[in-house]
């Protein structure tokens, strides 16, 4: 028996900083970048005497890091004891395993399912974790090979390529960090492990891709709320704080408008030294999860494009801490900027909904406007409206663009006041140039901003947009990742086998 589940990375296009506080909303898009968790038994058979054992075996393999960690899992306390080098361990994976086994002990009550669950545990858990190349920066490898900073160079890398580390601080002995692209790898990884284990152990039924929604468009749950609560719990414990949770929520449910849960929901996980994990999990399940996650996707024929500037990464916790410090020291001015930014975010959401409405009610006109405007700079779009409907569509496009310029302005004001580079000058130059390029609707820095990445939403196919060559010429590496509204889903098999099969088919066809 083998279970393969994947969960997507994310891009927060509005709601940076504001999403940390209720009731502020953020629009978060899930992406084509996905983490995969493969779960299978270690042993084919169980020895008769093993039913009396208090421990079982767990093995976690990360092929891209050439790492393998082994553990003993306490069947009573649902805790792991590492039996290999701690250098090979991952706290997000460890917490995911412990919380999953604990919640299965709580929610699986039918005798037949309970027996099957206990048998699977006694066969051991063999977990393999894989992340799409899109989560990691391969910029240095491309440059070392003398290749241009193009999507084609990225595409030439084999799927699930080995991951290298940034150069660490040898003076302090700190372990170097993996170079990433800011797509929420820890949240996607945690969610994939949680969902795969809960499905494998019989607590939930994860849907296949395309099966997440019913005919009327409503989301089919299939236990996703359980996946969400356990993934949020494990992720918060592993990172040592209760964050906003938008990255985990998008990994579970897909693209959405998100309002965070009240931090008190996870209070029991923060003071847990004297309680067994199943008791903590029971308490988490009893809480009222008051987050919002309404499905939200980009309007048709609009494409998300991301780029890696290569100007060094940013520390999101440090930037968030500086913004909070500024809020406390200057509550009047900070609240004024905060409210202006929240209002602009709401207006952007409204305009994107208007564009979705136009596409549903007047698709042919909508498609014509998008196609024509995709080849023109924004100051020429208004000339393309040939009738009242077309004029309304173009006006929505231009309003969307203007509102996003306001959002960028307020983010820069916030960064200047708080003393943090939310939209650094180098990014501003790139983004201004991007927004003046043909077919670009808007562009910005995702999430908390900084130096990690830039994004653009373009009209039509991004890969034929001149922004690709514009970015490349200025040292920005266009990434291969795009939007995909699907959240966590069940896969047909090991993605490495699938990619090999696709490559062989391509060779045979050619």
């Amino acid at each position: 028996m083998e279970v393969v589940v994947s969960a997507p990375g994310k891009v927060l296009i509005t709601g940076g900083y504001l999403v940390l506080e209720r009731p502020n909303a953020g629009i978060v898009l899930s992406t084509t970048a996905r983490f995969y968790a493969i779960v299978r038994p270690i042993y084919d058979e169980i020895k008769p005497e093993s039913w009396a054992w208090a421990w079982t075996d767990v093995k976690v393999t990360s092929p891209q890091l050439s790492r393998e960690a082994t553990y003993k899992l306490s069947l009573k306390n649902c805790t792991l004891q590492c039996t290999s080098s701690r250098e090979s361990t991952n706290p997000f994976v460890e917490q995911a395993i412990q919380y999953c086994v604990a919640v299965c002990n709580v929610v699986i009550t039918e005798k037949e399912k309970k027996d099957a669950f206990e048998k699977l545990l006694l066969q051991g858990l063999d977990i393999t974790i894989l992340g799409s190349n899109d989560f990691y920066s391969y910029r240095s490898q491309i440059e070392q090979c003398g290749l241009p900073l193009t999507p084609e160079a990225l595409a030439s890398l084999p799927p699930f390529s080995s991951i290298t580390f940034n150069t660490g601080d040898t003076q302090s002995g700190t372990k170097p960090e993996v170079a990433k692209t800011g797509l929420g790898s820890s949240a996607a990884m945690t969610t994939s492990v949680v969902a795969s284990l809960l499905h494998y152990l019989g607590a939930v039924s994860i849907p296949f891709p395309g099966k997440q929604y019913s005919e009327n468009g409503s989301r089919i749950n299939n236990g996703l709320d359980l996946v969400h609560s356990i993934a949020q719990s494990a992720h918060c414990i592993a990172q040592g704080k209760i964050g906003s949770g938008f990255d985990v929520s998008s990994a579970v449910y897909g693209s959405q408008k998100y309002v965070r849960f009240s931090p008190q929901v996870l209070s029991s996980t923060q003071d847990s030294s004297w309680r067994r994990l199943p008791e903590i999990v029971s308490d988490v399940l009893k809480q009222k999860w008051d987050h919002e996650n309404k499905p939200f996707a980009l309007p048709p024929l609009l494409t998300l494009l991301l780029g890696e500037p290569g100007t060094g990464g940013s520390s999101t916790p440090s930037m968030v801490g500086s913004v909070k410090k500024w809020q406390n020291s200057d509550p009047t001015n900070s609240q004024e900027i905060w409210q202006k930014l929240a209002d602009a975010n709401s207006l952007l959401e409204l305009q994107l909904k208007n564009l979705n409405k136009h596409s549903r009610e007047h698709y042919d006109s909508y498609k014509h406007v998008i196609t024509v405007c995709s080849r023109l700079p924004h100051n020429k779009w208004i000339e393309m409206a040939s009738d009242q409907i077309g004029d309304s569509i173009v006006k929505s496009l231009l309003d969307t663009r203007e509102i996003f310029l306001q959002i960028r302005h307020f983010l820069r004001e916030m960064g200047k006041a708080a003393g943090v580079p939310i939209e650094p000058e180098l990014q501003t130059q790139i983004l201004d140039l991007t927004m003046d390029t043909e077919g670009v609707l808007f562009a910005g820095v995702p999430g908390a901003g900084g130096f990690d990445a830039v994004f653009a939403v373009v009209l039509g196919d991004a890969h034929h947009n001149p922004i690709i060559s514009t970015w490349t010429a200025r040292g920005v590496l266009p990434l291969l990742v795009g939007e995909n509204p699907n959240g966590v889903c069940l896969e047909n098999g090991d993605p490495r086998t699938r990619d090999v099969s696709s490559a062989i088919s391509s060779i045979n066809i050619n």
Side-chain angles (χ1 to χ4, degrees):
M1 180 181 176
E2 177 181 271
V3 165
V4 184
V5 169
S6 70
K10 53 71 190 172
V11 177
L12 186 70
I13 64 169
T14 70
Y17 297 97
L18 272 68
V19 78
L20 291 166
E21 298 179 3
R22 291 175 54 83
N24 298 315
I27 295 175
V28 54
L29 304 179
S30 54
T31 69
T32 53
R34 301 187 77 87
F35 252 91
Y36 298 81
I38 306 166
V39 185
R40 58 176 72 91
I42 296 176
Y43 310 112
D44 292 332
E45 300 292 336
I46 302 174
K47 295 179 182 178
E49 64 271 19
S50 66
W51 290 97
W53 292 353
W55 301 81
T56 191
D57 294 316
V58 175
K59 181 173 73 171
V60 178
T61 307
S62 301
Q64 290 163 284
L65 292 171
S66 301
R67 287 180 173 176
E68 180 180 292
T70 56
Y71 304 88
K72 290 292 184 181
L73 171 68
S74 167
L75 300 180
K76 179 182 178 182
N77 297 320
C78 308
T79 52
L80 290 169
Q81 180 178 315
C82 183
T83 56
S84 60
S85 168
R86 290 299 305 179
E87 288 296 312
S88 299
T89 62
N90 184 307
F92 293 95
V93 176
E94 290 178 345
Q95 294 297 338
I97 295 169
Q98 293 178 153
Y99 268 81
C100 283
V101 175
V103 79
C104 286
N105 271 302
V106 172
V107 302
I108 299 177
T109 54
E110 295 178 22
K111 186 180 186 308
E112 187 176 336
K113 288 185 176 182
K114 194 83 169 177
D115 290 345
F117 158 63
E118 291 173 349
K119 181 181 178 182
L120 287 171
L121 280 186
L122 290 170
Q123 286 180 272
L125 299 173
D126 184 346
I127 304 167
T128 301
I129 300 166
L130 301 162
S132 299
N133 288 351
D134 305 296
F135 285 103
Y136 303 102
S137 173
Y138 293 94
R139 185 188 184 96
S140 60
Q141 290 93 315
I142 290 173
E143 291 175 334
Q144 288 168 11
C145 293
L147 296 173
L149 294 172
T150 62
E152 290 76 18
L154 272 178
S156 69
L157 297 171
F160 310 109
S161 291
S162 296
I163 300 164
T164 56
F165 291 94
N166 286 324
T167 304
D169 183 353
T170 54
Q171 297 294 326
S172 64
T174 345
K175 187 170 65 174
E177 293 181 349
V178 172
K180 299 179 182 180
T181 55
L183 294 177
S185 56
S186 64
M189 176 179 63
T190 302
T191 301
S192 68
V193 173
V194 167
S196 62
L197 282 171
L198 293 183
H199 184 98
Y200 178 79
L201 296 172
V204 301
S205 177
I206 302 298
F208 280 105
K211 304 294 185 183
Q212 293 98 329
Y213 295 93
S214 62
E215 291 182 1
N216 64 8
S218 61
R219 188 185 282 134
I220 300 173
N221 198 291
N222 288 315
L224 293 187
D225 288 347
L226 181 62
V227 173
H228 175 257
S229 60
I230 297 304
Q232 291 283 17
S233 301
H235 193 257
C236 287
I237 289 294
Q239 69 180 357
K241 64 183 180 69
I242 300 177
S244 67
F246 75 86
D247 45 5
V248 170
S249 186
S250 62
V252 176
Y253 301 106
S255 295
Q256 61 191 262
K257 174 188 174 182
Y258 177 77
V259 176
R260 71 158 304 151
F261 56 87
S262 299
Q264 292 81 2
V265 169
L266 290 178
S267 58
S268 62
T269 66
Q270 303 299 297
D271 183 22
S272 55
S273 57
W274 55 276
R275 302 172 68 192
R276 291 175 61 244
L277 200 49
E279 296 174 18
I280 296 168
V281 167
S282 294
D283 189 60
V284 169
L285 296 181
K286 292 173 185 174
Q287 299 299 313
K288 180 184 178 183
W289 285 82
D290 51 0
H291 62 288
E292 295 178 25
N293 53 4
K294 298 177 181 177
F296 192 100
L298 286 176
L301 306 180
L302 301 192
T303 306
L304 175 70
L305 181 66
L306 283 102
E308 183 190 347
T311 46
S314 300
S315 170
T316 297
S318 174
M319 293 174 70
V320 169
S322 296
V323 169
K324 287 185 173 181
K325 185 177 179 181
W326 161 65
Q327 284 182 284
N328 292 331
S329 64
D330 189 1
T332 303
N333 186 43
S334 62
Q335 181 56 38
E336 182 181 348
I337 296 176
W338 206 259
Q339 189 57 54
K340 288 178 179 178
L341 184 55
D343 291 343
N345 288 341
S346 297
L347 288 173
L348 183 76
E349 178 193 350
L350 181 62
Q351 288 302 327
L352 292 174
K353 286 182 176 179
N354 284 341
L355 288 170
N356 267 315
K357 183 180 179 183
H358 285 309
S359 72
R360 289 192 304 270
E361 297 178 354
H362 310 286
Y363 183 76
D364 289 342
S365 296
Y366 174 85
K367 181 180 179 181
H368 172 73
V369 169
I370 297 297
T371 302
V372 172
C373 291
S374 70
R375 300 190 288 264
L376 298 171
H378 67 94
N379 56 5
K380 298 288 186 182
W381 292 355
I382 196 65
E383 300 172 12
M384 297 301 106
S386 57
D387 55 28
Q388 187 176 357
I389 294 172
D391 183 70
S392 180
I393 295 169
V394 170
K395 186 177 183 303
S396 284
L397 292 173
L398 292 173
D399 286 348
T400 300
R401 175 187 172 82
E402 186 59 34
I403 292 165
F404 203 85
L405 285 170
Q406 293 177 25
I407 290 172
R408 285 182 54 201
H409 170 72
F410 295 134
L411 284 172
R412 286 195 300 272
E413 276 199 352
M414 182 190 296
K416 183 179 179 180
V420 291
I422 295 176
E423 186 184 293
E425 179 58 32
L426 285 173
Q427 296 340 34
T428 297
Q429 294 174 15
I430 292 168
L431 294 173
D432 288 346
L433 186 65
T434 299
M435 290 192 69
D436 285 337
T437 303
E438 294 91 331
V440 174
L441 184 59
F442 58 84
V445 287
F451 296 96
D452 285 340
V454 293
F455 76 88
V457 172
V458 305
L459 310 180
D461 186 355
H463 298 291
H464 297 295
N465 190 287
I467 196 60
I468 298 289
S469 56
T470 301
W471 278 4
T472 299
R474 282 156 182 80
V476 178
L477 175 59
L479 303 180
L480 300 174
V481 66
E483 185 205 9
N484 183 312
N486 291 326
V488 69
C489 61
L490 193 64
E491 300 285 344
N492 281 317
D494 190 324
R496 294 168 296 183
T497 305
R498 185 173 62 221
D499 286 322
V500 169
S501 300
S502 299
I504 293 172
S505 299
S506 175
I507 293 169
N508 289 339
I509 291 171
N510 294 332

